[in-house]
């Protein structure tokens, strides 16, 4: 039995080197015997103002920025619609910064067969700046899943507790088309950086979709410069955080908000936050 898996990536020219490596690793993963029976549909959605100048072996969509920045949620929604229309059995979202582990495709596919009504997420390893893997075989030795999230044994599926939905990251996850439709996709009110993935997870929880951790379905986040806290995204975090709080009664990204406040950049505004006056 063949399973058509759509691997969906939102991309931009700023991450072109990461995208090239991801493409290469996906091609290598396709050649593994463990992926027999998987028909891969590759979809790249470009987020820049201009359409991409060069593309790989993929279906390419273009979702330009909105008034407040890149529209990641809208891009993922567009890709999901295309994938479903193309007959995909599974939607596997992989951030442009992420490399697929050797077992990401087969274990995600197996998990979808076993738990077709769940939101599926595997562990993510953040690579250090000096870690530049050249082949799929380099990845297992670099595996060091982020300690904030569960890391079940390979092949094990672990249900998340209701309080764990805040741990969902959209870096690497999978859903069947019917689960995607049940959740309703990403909320396109979020533009720029932050909160759209937690909102997606909370919508899944609200609609009775179980979150399942997929042991062994590793992804590896390639290093890139970033700030802690992410100062260049301060206004995005305030804007998107306010949208999230109005819907869910709590602010996301609390650690970063507290760091901004400690530096004097933001201050309390009732139950929320604003730039310091």
């Amino acid at each position: 039995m063949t399973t058509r898996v759509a691997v969906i990536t939102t991309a931009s020219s700023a991450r072109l080197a990461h995208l090239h490596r991801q493409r290469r690793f996906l091609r290598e993963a396709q050649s593994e015997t463990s992926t027999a029976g998987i028909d891969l549909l590759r979809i790249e959605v470009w987020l820049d103002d201009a359409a991409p100048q060069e593309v790989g072996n993929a279906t390419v969509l273009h979702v330009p920025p909105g008034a407040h920045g890149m529209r990641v949620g809208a891009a993922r929604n567009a890709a999901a619609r295309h994938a479903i229309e193309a007959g995909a059995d599974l939607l596997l979202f992989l951030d442009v910064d992420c490399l697929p582990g050797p077992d990401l495709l087969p274990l995600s596919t197996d998990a979808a067969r076993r738990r077709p009504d769940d939101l599926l997420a595997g562990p993510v390893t953040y690579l250090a700046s000096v870690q530049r893997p050249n082949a799929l075989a380099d990845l297992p030795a670099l595996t060091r899943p982020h300690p904030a999230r569960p890391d079940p044994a390979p092949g094990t599926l672990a249900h998340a507790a209701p309080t764990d939905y805040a741990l969902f990251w959209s870096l690497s996850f999978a859903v069947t088309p019917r689960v995607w439709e049940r959740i309703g996709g990403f909320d396109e009110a979020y533009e720029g950086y932050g909160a759209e993935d937690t909102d997606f997870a909370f919508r899944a929880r609200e609609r009775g979709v179980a979150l399942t951790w997929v042991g062994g379905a590793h992804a590896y986040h390639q290093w890139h410069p970033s700030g802690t806290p992410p100062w260049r995204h301060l206004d995005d975090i305030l804007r998107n955080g306010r949208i999230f709080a109005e819907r869910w009664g709590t602010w996301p990204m609390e650690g970063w908000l507290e760091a901004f406040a400690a530096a004097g950049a933001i201050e309390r505004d009732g139950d929320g936050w604003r730039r310091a006056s």
Side-chain angles (χ1 to χ4, degrees):
M1 177 179 174
T2 298
T3 302
R4 189 161 215 208
V5 179
V7 177
I8 295 169
T9 297
T10 54
S12 71
S13 57
R15 291 284 186 268
L16 195 55
H18 286 183
L19 179 62
H20 282 315
R21 186 177 282 111
Q22 184 192 87
R23 288 172 177 168
R24 181 159 50 84
F25 276 53
L26 277 170
R27 288 194 297 269
E28 188 177 350
Q30 276 185 275
S31 68
E32 296 289 304
T33 57
S34 62
T35 61
I38 295 176
D39 174 25
L40 192 65
L41 170 63
R42 174 69 168 155
I43 303 176
E44 294 175 2
V45 195
W46 286 74
L47 304 172
D48 298 323
D49 286 303
Q53 297 300 307
E54 65 85 33
V55 298
N57 184 22
T59 296
V60 175
L61 306 177
H62 180 217
V63 177
H68 300 293
M70 290 182 173
R71 297 188 292 148
V72 176
R76 288 177 176 148
N77 291 346
R81 286 193 297 270
H82 182 91
I84 292 169
E85 290 170 1
D89 301 301
L90 183 65
L91 312 179
L92 196 162
F93 293 81
L94 191 64
D95 190 85
V96 69
D97 293 328
C98 288
L99 301 173
D103 296 320
L104 177 63
L105 289 172
L107 288 179
S108 296
T109 303
D110 177 68
R113 291 189 185 120
R114 295 163 62 188
R115 302 277 179 86
D117 297 317
D118 292 5
L119 172 58
L120 308 167
V124 176
T125 289
Y126 277 79
L127 299 175
S129 60
V130 295
Q131 294 175 319
R132 306 290 174 89
N134 291 311
L136 208 62
D138 296 338
L139 293 175
L142 303 176
T143 303
R144 185 173 45 87
H146 195 287
R149 301 169 80 234
D151 178 27
T156 300
L157 303 180
H159 269 314
T163 54
D164 287 342
Y165 281 72
L167 300 176
F168 172 82
W169 296 337
S170 57
L171 294 172
S172 175
F173 73 97
V175 287
T176 60
R178 75 171 178 236
V179 172
W180 175 263
E181 299 291 352
R182 185 174 172 185
I183 296 171
F186 283 85
D187 192 317
E188 298 184 13
Y190 296 96
E191 293 184 356
Y193 182 86
E196 83 285 342
D197 50 355
T198 309
D199 180 273
F200 181 83
F202 279 29
R203 290 170 72 173
R205 181 176 62 187
E206 182 183 56
R207 293 168 193 192
V209 176
L211 172 60
T212 291
W213 308 113
V214 183
H218 292 281
Y220 299 79
H221 185 279
Q222 303 175 76
W223 181 87
H224 60 76
S226 61
T228 304
W231 286 101
R232 67 191 182 97
H233 298 304
L234 172 56
D235 289 325
D236 287 349
I237 289 169
L238 287 175
R239 183 183 60 257
N240 287 340
R242 189 171 295 109
I243 293 171
F244 185 96
E246 288 172 355
R247 293 178 181 171
W248 303 109
T250 184
W251 277 69
M253 302 174 282
E254 288 181 338
W256 288 340
L257 290 167
E258 290 170 0
F260 290 139
I266 64 174
E267 62 188 10
R268 276 290 183 183
D269 180 20
D271 292 333
W273 297 91
R274 66 184 178 192
R275 273 192 174 268
S277 54

